[in-house]
Amino acid sequence: MNWESGFLELHHQGQVIPLMAEWLRQLSDAPDQIDHNSYQRFYDPTQLPNDLAIVEAQANDQGVEILFSDGHRHFYPLERMMIEAGLQTHPDDLPQPTPWTIDTLTPPILQWENRHDSWARHQVLDGFFKYGFALLRDTPSTEDSLLDIAQVFGPIRETNWGRLFNVRTEAVATDLAYTGLALTAHTDNPYRRSVPGIQFLHCLANDATGGESTIVDGLSICTALKQQSPAEYDVLSSLPISFRYLSKDVNDRETAPMIRLDSSGNLRQLRLSTRLDFAPAVDPETLKTFYAGRRHLARLAAEPRFVFSFKLKKGDCLMMDNHRTLHGRTAFAEDGFRFLQGCYIDHDGPESQYRTLSRHLRQTQTAQTVAA
Amino acid sequence: MNWESGFLELHHQGQVIPLMAEWLRQLSDAPDQIDHNSYQRFYDPTQLPNDLAIVEAQANDQGVEILFSDGHRHFYPLERMMIEAGLQTHPDDLPQPTPWTIDTLTPPILQWENRHDSWARHQVLDGFFKYGFALLRDTPSTEDSLLDIAQVFGPIRETNWGRLFNVRTEAVATDLAYTGLALTAHTDNPYRRSVPGIQFLHCLANDATGGESTIVDGLSICTALKQQSPAEYDVLSSLPISFRYLSKDVNDRETAPMIRLDSSGNLRQLRLSTRLDFAPAVDPETLKTFYAGRRHLARLAAEPRFVFSFKLKKGDCLMMDNHRTLHGRTAFAEDGFRFLQGCYIDHDGPESQYRTLSRHLRQTQTAQTVAA
């Protein structure tokens, strides 16, 4: 161990990760440094001395105790340093998203009566984060009960459509969803700032002929697009598109690339809704590639291997990541009643719940192991 | 005019903008092409012929009528083409954000009794979009009336803190906000996915000594940082930072650069809350620049020219863009009662309202001009 250079060196599988004094100091979770009710620092870290250094470091196989030049002393467990240095994932972290086709997909399902069982809830959320959607089965099928269902996972995200919206045919439809027309798979509300994170669709009646629900994994089709046409993928992930909703009382606009990537190039958010997107008048070469790419993506979204299709039955409730998953439906006839209700919540609700459940279940398991 | 190349050429101040057939075709807002209740296309544009071309174009000084190879014919007013080609702003568009110091700032204020006056509402929103905040004066000062106030602008964005939160000292504080400590200017909830867009702070009592509110323009300090230290600005606008909130029941995490830019390099979202941010263990050179940049930004946020400071009085309500504006307060004593309530809404509410009001006021003006 060497800290005279100002760094503590973490050796791992041939790699050497230099850890800065300032970085380590701000990770200290000693009870006088970080409020354990909120994990907020008690002090303002921008006020730490500029020349903060490691004065002393003593390692054992559990971790390392460090004395800093400002007098703070703290013990850092090895596992925590590995996690914070990005060499190991946190045991409570969300699972990685897994692209799927209908051949590899196991749809995550929660029987609603099991919703208060921590293992069952954790398992369905695990599937939700892996595959981008989940199906809640045998939920109450009375009107507006969706509010109670969705709030099990997080606070309702109200929009100008209200807390809930009804999906059934209307005389004067304010959205194509409120007709009997087929809807090609799309994401919802790409014109909204910010776009709702998670959509619920709750089936109260589905007696019309047709009206099958379709679900497509945006991660899968974006991955396929990237492989098949990197140039189109590049334009779709960079060209800012104007998404719009305009009526007498509402004028929503949002500008963003169709495929938004994070700084590591991973899919962060897909906005695909080709009836309300408007490209800017950039040079014809780029624009041509954009239109070809959008066509390509739409074609992929209709390829049978990518389309999970099934008919919702009364009491079924779909929960879909609206930043990743496309949803649509086949046309339906007027020969029976079809009535769905929808609403939104944000990502933080289920994400926080998953991490908290993970920790709880880990601790329960540890306690059981110790007791055994 | 030339369209044999497949483009219609728009000549403007020496520039020639080539407009593609496919681009023009999808802009057609003929009543059989776009649903005027929603501005959604009736057709799927990815199904348009690949080789769509302009067959005929006839211009006059009002615009151009185009016949496309799929048989569709539509008249495009010149102004609309200029706007869609990005050569002119839309008359209903939001004003550009204007960076301010306390010497250039005119705080946008709305007397609450005037809230239903379209001009007054439009004016305060105009100021809000320019400066990133507004002050609502003489609002009702009964507990929970904030919900009605905020809903004038858009639906409440509920979080795990509830629809409303109380800012007053608590015995066991779940956040430093709920103590009498000073709070350096910060943005709220950077750990939330997604971060609430607009924060309201409603003053019900402010009789304690101290407790002045502070507001800092994130756009101004980011602009200053960019000028003073481009290298720090680059790291702050690219290095993904982990923002966290952790308690017994909540485990929120979000990863994003502190300064998020759009594809044109304009500020899209600032997350500044140094008590709960955690940098990754990247190479020490980058990390050093990050810490220096964060210190620099914090120093700028405390420079008197950037800090608009005043004491809220009973019935005052602050409305702040939480993706741009920092807010804080000086410490306060226990010698009097201080009670604020807070809540969030999203950007789309006021943005849609502003555009709709703009159109309405334009049409009213036109009608008056015609009548005169």
Side-chain angles (χ1 to χ4, degrees):
Chain A
M1 209 165 31
N2 177 1
W3 66 89
E4 281 153 32
S5 58
F7 312 122
L8 186 80
E9 291 180 347
L10 191 63
H11 294 254
H12 177 68
Q13 299 182 340
Q15 268 185 295
V16 182
I17 315 281
L19 302 179
M20 278 184 76
E22 195 164 2
W23 184 82
L24 286 160
R25 177 68 181 81
Q26 297 184 34
L27 279 176
S28 169
D29 56 5
D32 61 338
Q33 298 293 308
I34 275 190
D35 178 356
H36 282 234
N37 290 318
S38 67
Y39 219 73
Q40 291 172 349
R41 299 183 184 105
F42 283 121
Y43 62 97
D44 178 353
T46 65
Q47 300 300 318
L48 286 173
N50 259 322
D51 56 354
L52 187 86
I54 296 171
V55 173
E56 206 183 289
Q58 236 170 339
N60 59 31
D61 57 357
Q62 298 297 305
V64 56
E65 189 176 82
I66 303 177
L67 174 65
F68 296 95
S69 57
D70 69 342
H72 182 59
R73 183 190 290 275
H74 188 60
F75 179 77
Y76 294 78
L78 186 60
E79 192 193 3
R80 174 135 196 269
M81 280 202 295
M82 297 281 286
I83 291 168
E84 295 291 352
L87 297 169
Q88 197 177 306
T89 58
H90 193 287
D92 302 341
D93 263 1
L94 310 186
Q96 286 300 308
T98 309
W100 53 262
T101 64
I102 53 169
D103 294 327
T104 63
L105 173 71
T106 312
I109 295 177
L110 176 69
Q111 278 298 127
W112 194 239
E113 62 186 8
N114 298 331
R115 68 192 175 282
H116 297 306
D117 178 278
S118 297
W119 288 103
R121 181 93 68 84
H122 189 263
Q123 193 179 31
V124 76
L125 286 176
D126 192 77
F128 174 80
F129 294 121
K130 277 183 184 142
Y131 301 121
F133 77 98
L135 181 59
L136 316 175
R137 275 254 138 107
D138 297 315
T139 65
S141 55
T142 47
E143 210 171 319
D144 299 347
S145 58
L146 175 56
L147 289 177
D148 295 327
I149 296 168
Q151 283 177 116
V152 165
F153 299 97
I156 301 296
R157 169 73 173 278
E158 186 175 342
T159 72
N160 58 295
W161 303 112
R163 284 166 69 77
L164 276 183
F165 52 89
N166 296 321
V167 186
R168 58 185 164 195
T169 51
E170 285 176 1
V172 180
T174 55
D175 197 286
L176 294 181
Y178 310 149
T179 67
L181 297 175
L183 293 177
T184 52
H186 62 281
T187 63
D188 262 28
N189 286 211
Y191 46 77
R192 191 175 300 288
R193 186 172 174 214
S194 61
V195 179
I198 293 169
Q199 178 177 21
F200 288 81
L201 269 181
H202 188 214
C203 182
L204 299 177
N206 204 0
D207 302 327
T209 306
E212 290 221 337
S213 295
T214 57
I215 294 185
V216 175
D217 182 14
L219 178 58
S220 295
I221 60 170
C222 287
T223 306
L225 179 70
K226 189 177 180 180
Q227 283 163 352
Q228 293 171 15
S229 176
E232 290 172 1
Y233 184 81
D234 284 349
V235 171
L236 259 59
S237 57
S238 60
L239 188 67
I241 303 301
S242 169
F243 298 93
R244 306 179 186 172
Y245 182 94
L246 178 65
S247 70
K248 209 174 122 296
D249 306 314
V250 181
N251 192 337
D252 282 333
R253 282 179 179 234
E254 177 58 306
T255 303
M258 202 165 269
I259 300 173
R260 190 182 146 210
L261 304 176
D262 68 16
S263 57
S264 312
N266 296 314
L267 178 66
R268 169 83 197 204
Q269 183 175 1
L270 173 64
R271 288 173 172 90
L272 187 63
S273 188
T274 59
R275 289 172 190 263
L276 45 76
D277 59 354
F278 296 85
V282 288
D283 65 284
E285 223 25 69
T286 303
L287 205 48
K288 234 170 137 161
T289 310
F290 169 76
Y291 287 127
R294 186 177 65 161
R295 243 186 219 111
H296 193 158
L297 202 58
R299 223 161 41 229
L300 286 166
E303 270 187 32
R305 63 177 169 136
F306 288 130
V307 184
F308 177 55
S309 168
F310 64 103
K311 188 154 181 170
L312 285 170
K313 60 183 208 293
K314 185 175 167 169
D316 281 353
C317 183
L318 268 173
M319 174 179 178
M320 297 169 288
D321 183 344
N322 188 48
H323 289 200
R324 169 179 172 186
T325 309
L326 315 179
H327 64 283
R329 64 151 192 254
T330 59
F332 59 91
E334 299 276 322
D335 59 352
F337 190 47
R338 186 179 192 271
F339 183 21
L340 272 55
Q341 289 191 306
C343 76
Y344 305 108
I345 66 170
D346 279 296
H347 285 105
D348 55 335
E351 289 185 358
S352 166
Q353 196 169 91
Y354 179 87
R355 294 188 195 100
T356 305
L357 278 170
S358 293
R359 183 173 57 168
H360 169 70
L361 294 172
R362 253 191 322 122
Q363 286 167 348
T364 311
Q365 245 179 349
T366 310
Q368 284 169 349
T369 310
V370 170
Chain B
M1 209 166 31
N2 177 2
W3 66 88
E4 280 153 32
S5 59
F7 312 122
L8 186 79
E9 291 179 347
L10 191 63
H11 294 254
H12 177 69
Q13 299 182 338
Q15 268 185 295
V16 182
I17 315 280
L19 302 179
M20 278 184 76
E22 195 164 2
W23 184 82
L24 287 159
R25 177 68 182 80
Q26 296 184 34
L27 279 176
S28 169
D29 56 4
D32 61 337
Q33 299 293 308
I34 275 191
D35 179 356
H36 282 235
N37 290 317
S38 67
Y39 219 74
Q40 291 172 349
R41 299 183 185 105
F42 283 121
Y43 62 97
D44 178 352
T46 65
Q47 300 300 318
L48 287 173
N50 259 322
D51 56 355
L52 187 86
I54 296 171
V55 174
E56 207 183 288
Q58 236 170 340
N60 59 32
D61 56 358
Q62 297 298 304
V64 56
E65 189 176 82
I66 303 177
L67 174 65
F68 296 95
S69 58
D70 70 342
H72 182 59
R73 183 190 289 274
H74 188 59
F75 179 78
Y76 294 79
L78 186 60
E79 191 193 4
R80 173 137 197 268
M81 279 201 295
M82 297 281 286
I83 291 169
E84 294 291 351
L87 297 169
Q88 197 177 307
T89 57
H90 193 287
D92 302 341
D93 262 1
L94 310 186
Q96 285 300 308
T98 309
W100 53 262
T101 64
I102 52 168
D103 294 327
T104 63
L105 174 70
T106 311
I109 295 177
L110 176 69
Q111 278 298 128
W112 195 239
E113 62 186 9
N114 298 331
R115 67 192 176 283
H116 296 306
D117 177 279
S118 297
W119 288 104
R121 180 93 67 85
H122 189 262
Q123 193 178 31
V124 76
L125 287 176
D126 192 76
F128 174 80
F129 294 121
K130 278 183 183 141
Y131 301 121
F133 77 99
L135 180 59
L136 315 175
R137 275 255 138 107
D138 296 315
T139 65
S141 55
T142 48
E143 209 171 319
D144 299 347
S145 58
L146 175 56
L147 288 177
D148 295 327
I149 296 168
Q151 283 177 116
V152 165
F153 298 97
I156 302 296
R157 169 73 174 278
E158 187 176 342
T159 73
N160 58 295
W161 303 111
R163 284 166 70 77
L164 276 183
F165 52 89
N166 296 322
V167 185
R168 58 184 164 193
T169 51
E170 285 176 1
V172 180
T174 55
D175 198 286
L176 295 181
Y178 310 149
T179 67
L181 296 175
L183 293 177
T184 52
H186 62 281
T187 64
D188 262 27
N189 286 212
Y191 46 76
R192 191 175 299 289
R193 185 171 175 216
S194 61
V195 179
I198 293 168
Q199 179 177 19
F200 288 81
L201 269 182
H202 188 214
C203 181
L204 299 177
N206 203 0
D207 302 327
T209 305
E212 290 220 337
S213 295
T214 57
I215 295 185
V216 175
D217 182 13
L219 179 57
S220 295
I221 60 170
C222 286
T223 306
L225 179 70
K226 189 177 180 180
Q227 283 163 353
Q228 294 171 16
S229 176
E232 290 172 1
Y233 184 81
D234 284 350
V235 171
L236 259 58
S237 57
S238 60
L239 187 68
I241 303 301
S242 170
F243 298 93
R244 307 179 186 171
Y245 182 94
L246 177 66
S247 70
K248 210 176 122 294
D249 306 315
V250 180
N251 193 336
D252 281 333
R253 283 180 177 232
E254 177 58 305
T255 303
M258 202 165 269
I259 300 174
R260 190 182 146 209
L261 304 176
D262 68 16
S263 57
S264 311
N266 297 314
L267 178 66
R268 169 83 196 203
Q269 183 174 0
L270 173 64
R271 288 173 172 90
L272 186 62
S273 189
T274 59
R275 289 171 190 264
L276 45 76
D277 59 353
F278 296 84
V282 289
D283 64 284
E285 223 25 69
T286 304
L287 205 48
K288 235 171 137 160
T289 310
F290 169 76
Y291 287 127
R294 186 177 65 162
R295 244 186 218 111
H296 194 158
L297 202 58
R299 224 162 40 229
L300 287 166
E303 271 187 30
R305 63 176 169 137
F306 288 130
V307 184
F308 177 55
S309 168
F310 64 104
K311 189 153 180 170
L312 284 170
K313 59 182 210 293
K314 185 174 167 171
D316 281 353
C317 183
L318 268 173
M319 174 179 178
M320 298 169 288
D321 183 344
N322 188 47
H323 289 200
R324 168 180 172 185
T325 309
L326 315 180
H327 63 283
R329 64 150 191 255
T330 59
F332 59 91
E334 299 276 321
D335 60 351
F337 190 47
R338 186 179 192 271
F339 183 21
L340 272 55
Q341 289 191 305
C343 76
Y344 304 108
I345 66 170
D346 279 296
H347 285 106
D348 55 335
E351 289 185 358
S352 166
Q353 196 169 91
Y354 179 87
R355 294 188 195 99
T356 305
L357 278 170
S358 293
R359 183 173 57 169
H360 169 69
L361 293 173
R362 254 191 321 123
Q363 286 167 348
T364 311
Q365 245 179 348
T366 310
Q368 283 169 348
T369 311
V370 170

